Amino acid sequence: AGAVQSIEDFESKVSRKATLEILELVMQKLSPEDRTLIDLVYFEGWKLKDAAEVLGWKLSKAKVRALRARNAMREYIKEGLEF
């Protein structure tokens, strides 16, 4: 059972590392402002309202930019997975 657990742990770590590398590449395609917004809200756990304030944006603008950035990231990933 110990060997099976180790293999599963290894596969999980490899999968997580690959996912993080993909996210890093996709994030680089975003504008610096959108990258900051996504980083603050989704990786640092900030409230959208607080991230908007730091960026000097109205909340409505932050909501739209976050939506568009997520959609762009989704498309970049889809494009990268097409063979």
Side-chain angles (χ1 to χ4, degrees), residues 28 30 43 63:
Q28 289 175 7
L30 299 176
F43 295 104
K63 287 180 181 180

Side-chain angles (χ1 to χ4, degrees), residues 54-65:
V54 165
L55 290 165
W57 297 345
K58 292 183 178 182
L59 179 57
S60 59
K61 179 177 179 175
K63 287 180 181 180
V64 169
R65 294 286 292 260

Side-chain angles (χ1 to χ4, degrees), residues 25-83:
L25 290 171
V26 169
M27 290 278 290
Q28 289 175 7
K29 293 187 172 210
L30 299 176
S31 71
E33 295 88 5
D34 288 347
R35 194 168 39 242
T36 299
L37 177 64
I38 295 296
D39 186 50
L40 290 175
V41 174
Y42 297 101
F43 295 104
E44 300 295 327
W46 287 37
K47 292 186 184 306
L48 192 57
K49 171 182 67 117
D50 296 331
E53 187 175 315
V54 165
L55 290 165
W57 297 345
K58 292 183 178 182
L59 179 57
S60 59
K61 179 177 179 175
K63 287 180 181 180
V64 169
R65 294 286 292 260
L67 175 66
R68 290 180 180 164
R70 288 192 315 268
N71 288 341
M73 291 173 68
R74 189 175 299 114
E75 287 303 312
Y76 294 141
I77 291 169
K78 281 182 186 176
E79 289 171 11
L81 295 177
E82 290 176 2
F83 297 100

